[in-house]
Amino acid sequence: QLQLQESGPGLVKPSETLSLTCTVSGGSISSSSYYWGWIRQPPGKGLEWIGSIYYSGSTYYNPSLKSRVTISVDTSKNQFSLKLSSVTAADTAVYYCARRGSSGWRVWGQGTTVTVSS
Amino acid sequence: SSELTQDPAVSVALGQTVRITCQGDSLRSYYASWYQQKPGQAPVLVIYGKNNRPSGIPDRFSGSSSGNTASLTITGAQAEDEADYYCNSRDSSGNHSPWVFGGGTKLTVL
Protein backbone atom coordinates (compact mmCIF):
# COMPACT_ATOMS: atom_id res chain seq x y z
CA GLN A 1 0.00 0.00 0.00
CA LEU A 2 1.44 3.33 -1.07
CA GLN A 3 2.21 5.73 1.77
CA LEU A 4 3.52 9.28 1.78
CA GLN A 5 5.24 11.03 4.68
CA GLU A 6 6.17 14.69 4.85
CA SER A 7 9.19 15.86 6.81
CA GLY A 8 10.96 19.12 7.45
CA PRO A 9 11.28 22.04 9.89
CA GLY A 10 8.11 23.10 11.63
CA LEU A 11 9.34 26.66 12.09
CA VAL A 12 10.84 28.90 9.41
CA LYS A 13 11.91 32.52 9.76
CA PRO A 14 10.44 35.21 7.51
CA SER A 15 12.37 35.77 4.26
CA GLU A 16 14.00 32.34 4.51
CA THR A 17 13.34 29.24 2.41
CA LEU A 18 10.88 26.55 3.47
CA SER A 19 12.12 23.07 2.60
CA LEU A 20 10.02 19.92 2.88
CA THR A 21 10.52 16.36 1.74
CA CYS A 22 7.95 13.70 0.97
CA THR A 23 9.11 10.10 1.33
CA VAL A 24 7.24 7.53 -0.73
CA SER A 25 6.94 3.97 0.54
CA GLY A 26 5.15 0.96 -0.85
CA GLY A 27 5.69 2.03 -4.45
CA SER A 28 8.09 3.71 -6.84
CA ILE A 29 8.16 7.43 -7.41
CA SER A 30 9.13 6.63 -10.99
CA SER A 31 5.82 4.91 -11.73
CA SER A 32 4.44 6.14 -15.02
CA SER A 33 1.52 8.51 -15.44
CA TYR A 34 1.50 9.90 -11.92
CA TYR A 35 1.87 13.41 -10.64
CA TRP A 36 3.48 14.00 -7.27
CA GLY A 37 2.31 17.22 -5.71
CA TRP A 38 2.27 19.61 -2.82
CA ILE A 39 -0.93 21.10 -1.46
CA ARG A 40 -1.23 23.41 1.52
CA GLN A 41 -3.94 24.61 3.88
CA PRO A 42 -3.55 27.78 5.95
CA PRO A 43 -5.16 27.67 9.39
CA GLY A 44 -8.95 27.74 9.07
CA LYS A 45 -8.81 28.05 5.28
CA GLY A 46 -9.18 25.88 2.21
CA LEU A 47 -6.81 23.78 0.14
CA GLU A 48 -4.33 25.39 -2.24
CA TRP A 49 -2.43 23.44 -4.89
CA ILE A 50 1.22 24.54 -4.82
CA GLY A 51 2.69 22.50 -7.63
CA SER A 52 3.41 19.07 -9.04
CA ILE A 53 6.11 17.07 -10.70
CA TYR A 54 5.21 14.50 -13.33
CA TYR A 55 6.86 11.08 -13.45
CA SER A 56 8.77 12.34 -16.50
CA GLY A 57 10.31 15.12 -14.39
CA SER A 58 8.26 18.00 -15.78
CA THR A 59 7.15 20.50 -13.17
CA TYR A 60 3.97 22.56 -12.93
CA TYR A 61 3.39 25.35 -10.46
CA ASN A 62 0.57 27.49 -9.15
CA PRO A 63 0.96 30.77 -11.06
CA SER A 64 0.57 32.74 -7.85
CA LEU A 65 3.56 30.96 -6.27
CA LYS A 66 5.63 30.12 -9.33
CA SER A 67 8.35 32.67 -8.73
CA ARG A 68 9.11 31.19 -5.29
CA VAL A 69 8.53 27.45 -5.74
CA THR A 70 10.79 24.61 -6.78
CA ILE A 71 9.74 20.95 -6.74
CA SER A 72 12.28 18.23 -7.41
CA VAL A 73 12.59 14.45 -7.28
CA ASP A 74 15.29 12.18 -5.90
CA THR A 75 14.53 8.78 -7.42
CA SER A 76 17.41 7.13 -5.56
CA LYS A 77 15.72 7.95 -2.25
CA ASN A 78 12.14 7.63 -3.54
CA GLN A 79 11.48 11.18 -2.39
CA PHE A 80 10.29 14.46 -3.79
CA SER A 81 10.85 17.88 -2.29
CA LEU A 82 9.39 21.36 -2.04
CA LYS A 83 11.32 24.58 -1.68
CA LEU A 84 9.43 27.84 -1.13
CA SER A 85 11.60 30.92 -0.92
CA SER A 86 11.11 34.32 0.71
CA VAL A 87 8.41 33.07 3.05
CA THR A 88 6.09 35.31 5.01
CA ALA A 89 3.46 34.68 7.67
CA ALA A 90 0.99 34.04 4.83
CA ASP A 91 2.89 30.83 4.07
CA THR A 92 2.02 29.40 7.49
CA ALA A 93 -0.01 26.28 6.73
CA VAL A 94 -0.34 22.53 6.89
CA TYR A 95 1.59 21.19 3.91
CA TYR A 96 0.48 17.94 2.31
CA CYS A 97 2.21 15.83 -0.28
CA ALA A 98 -0.01 13.73 -2.50
CA ARG A 99 -0.07 11.54 -5.59
CA ARG A 100 -2.41 12.03 -8.48
CA GLY A 101 -3.24 9.68 -11.29
CA SER A 102 -6.15 9.87 -13.68
CA SER A 103 -8.49 9.38 -10.74
CA GLY A 104 -7.67 12.43 -8.68
CA TRP A 105 -5.46 13.02 -5.66
CA ARG A 106 -5.94 9.55 -4.26
CA VAL A 107 -3.02 9.19 -1.85
CA TRP A 108 -2.12 11.87 0.70
CA GLY A 109 0.45 12.26 3.41
CA GLN A 110 -0.74 13.08 6.89
CA GLY A 111 0.42 16.69 6.54
CA THR A 112 3.03 18.71 8.34
CA THR A 113 2.52 22.09 9.99
CA VAL A 114 4.90 24.86 9.05
CA THR A 115 4.85 28.13 10.93
CA VAL A 116 6.62 31.21 9.62
CA SER A 117 7.72 33.34 12.52
CA SER A 118 10.80 35.04 13.86
CA SER B 1 -6.51 31.20 -14.34
CA SER B 2 -9.61 29.25 -13.46
CA GLU B 3 -11.58 29.52 -10.27
CA LEU B 4 -13.91 27.02 -8.69
CA THR B 5 -16.74 28.42 -6.60
CA GLN B 6 -18.47 26.52 -3.81
CA ASP B 7 -21.09 27.55 -1.28
CA PRO B 8 -19.30 28.07 2.06
CA ALA B 9 -21.81 26.06 4.09
CA VAL B 10 -24.66 23.65 3.58
CA SER B 11 -26.79 21.73 6.06
CA VAL B 12 -28.86 18.58 5.76
CA ALA B 13 -31.14 16.66 8.08
CA LEU B 14 -29.98 13.21 9.05
CA GLY B 15 -31.02 10.70 6.40
CA GLN B 16 -31.93 13.30 3.81
CA THR B 17 -30.25 14.11 0.50
CA VAL B 18 -27.87 17.01 -0.03
CA ARG B 19 -26.17 18.38 -3.12
CA ILE B 20 -22.91 20.30 -2.94
CA THR B 21 -22.03 22.27 -6.05
CA CYS B 22 -18.87 23.58 -7.66
CA GLN B 23 -18.91 26.13 -10.47
CA GLY B 24 -16.15 27.09 -12.85
CA ASP B 25 -15.36 27.51 -16.52
CA SER B 26 -12.84 24.65 -16.46
CA LEU B 27 -15.65 22.23 -15.59
CA ARG B 28 -16.92 22.53 -19.16
CA SER B 29 -13.74 20.70 -20.21
CA TYR B 30 -12.66 18.64 -17.20
CA TYR B 31 -14.40 16.52 -14.60
CA ALA B 32 -14.09 17.57 -10.98
CA SER B 33 -12.83 15.31 -8.25
CA TRP B 34 -14.26 15.65 -4.76
CA TYR B 35 -12.55 15.42 -1.37
CA GLN B 36 -13.91 15.00 2.13
CA GLN B 37 -11.88 16.49 4.97
CA LYS B 38 -12.63 16.03 8.64
CA PRO B 39 -10.96 18.18 11.32
CA GLY B 40 -7.29 17.42 11.81
CA GLN B 41 -7.22 14.89 8.97
CA ALA B 42 -5.91 14.83 5.43
CA PRO B 43 -8.46 15.06 2.63
CA VAL B 44 -9.94 11.85 1.26
CA LEU B 45 -10.96 11.35 -2.36
CA VAL B 46 -14.66 10.46 -2.55
CA ILE B 47 -15.59 11.00 -6.22
CA TYR B 48 -13.56 11.21 -9.43
CA GLY B 49 -14.23 11.25 -13.14
CA LYS B 50 -17.77 11.13 -14.45
CA ASN B 51 -19.11 9.43 -11.29
CA ASN B 52 -16.61 7.03 -9.77
CA ARG B 53 -15.98 6.13 -6.14
CA PRO B 54 -12.71 4.77 -4.78
CA SER B 55 -13.04 1.51 -2.94
CA GLY B 56 -14.32 2.02 0.57
CA ILE B 57 -16.40 5.08 -0.23
CA PRO B 58 -20.10 4.42 0.49
CA ASP B 59 -22.45 4.35 -2.48
CA ARG B 60 -24.50 7.17 -0.97
CA PHE B 61 -21.86 9.47 -2.50
CA SER B 62 -22.34 10.26 -6.19
CA GLY B 63 -21.17 12.87 -8.66
CA SER B 64 -22.58 14.60 -11.69
CA SER B 65 -21.77 17.44 -14.01
CA SER B 66 -23.66 19.82 -16.28
CA GLY B 67 -22.19 22.75 -18.13
CA ASN B 68 -19.93 24.69 -15.78
CA THR B 69 -21.27 23.01 -12.62
CA ALA B 70 -20.14 19.83 -10.90
CA SER B 71 -22.17 18.36 -8.08
CA LEU B 72 -21.55 15.97 -5.23
CA THR B 73 -24.71 14.33 -3.91
CA ILE B 74 -25.02 12.49 -0.64
CA THR B 75 -28.20 10.40 -0.59
CA GLY B 76 -29.22 9.59 2.96
CA ALA B 77 -26.64 11.70 4.78
CA GLN B 78 -25.14 10.19 7.91
CA ALA B 79 -23.68 11.90 10.94
CA GLU B 80 -20.20 10.80 9.87
CA ASP B 81 -20.58 12.73 6.60
CA GLU B 82 -20.29 16.01 8.48
CA ALA B 83 -17.08 17.46 7.07
CA ASP B 84 -15.60 19.97 4.66
CA TYR B 85 -15.88 19.07 0.99
CA TYR B 86 -13.60 20.39 -1.76
CA CYS B 87 -13.83 20.11 -5.51
CA ASN B 88 -10.71 20.06 -7.68
CA SER B 89 -10.14 20.36 -11.38
CA ARG B 90 -7.73 21.70 -13.90
CA ASP B 91 -7.42 25.18 -15.21
CA SER B 92 -8.95 25.09 -18.66
CA SER B 93 -5.77 25.91 -20.54
CA GLY B 94 -4.38 22.43 -21.33
CA ASN B 95 -3.63 18.88 -20.24
CA HIS B 96 -0.74 19.90 -18.00
CA SER B 97 -2.33 23.09 -16.81
CA PRO B 98 -2.46 23.96 -13.13
CA TRP B 99 -4.95 22.42 -10.76
CA VAL B 100 -7.27 24.48 -8.64
CA PHE B 101 -9.39 23.69 -5.59
CA GLY B 102 -12.73 25.17 -4.77
CA GLY B 103 -13.00 27.17 -1.58
CA GLY B 104 -14.71 24.30 0.22
CA THR B 105 -18.19 23.64 1.60
CA LYS B 106 -18.77 22.91 5.27
CA LEU B 107 -21.49 20.29 5.54
CA THR B 108 -23.48 20.14 8.76
CA VAL B 109 -25.69 17.13 9.40
CA LEU B 110 -28.59 18.12 11.66
Side-chain angles (χ1 to χ4, degrees), chain A residues 4-115:
Chain A
L4 307 180
Q5 179 67 59
E6 305 90 349
S7 60
L11 181 64
V12 182
K13 289 182 168 56
S15 80
E16 295 189 344
T17 295
L18 179 160
S19 296
L20 296 175
T21 296
C22 182
T23 300
V24 179
S25 58
S28 172
I29 201 167
S30 301
S31 299
S32 63
S33 302
Y34 288 113
Y35 293 88
W36 304 90
W38 290 94
I39 294 154
R40 71 180 182 179
Q41 185 170 36
K45 296 188 178 181
L47 301 171
E48 179 181 34
W49 174 75
I50 299 170
S52 301
I53 187 163
Y54 198 40
Y55 79 103
S56 62
S58 298
T59 51
Y60 308 92
Y61 300 132
N62 185 322
S64 68
L65 299 170
K66 187 174 184 177
S67 63
R68 300 194 290 131
V69 174
T70 302
I71 295 175
S72 59
V73 166
D74 186 338
T75 55
S76 67
K77 296 181 178 179
N78 225 30
Q79 297 175 334
F80 64 106
S81 298
L82 168 70
K83 291 189 184 299
L84 180 65
S85 64
S86 304
V87 297
T88 70
D91 295 309
T92 293
V94 175
Y95 286 76
Y96 295 99
C97 60
R99 187 186 81 170
R100 182 181 178 112
S102 60
S103 59
W105 298 100
R106 188 185 281 257
V107 184
W108 295 68
Q110 65 184 25
T112 188
T113 299
V114 178
T115 301

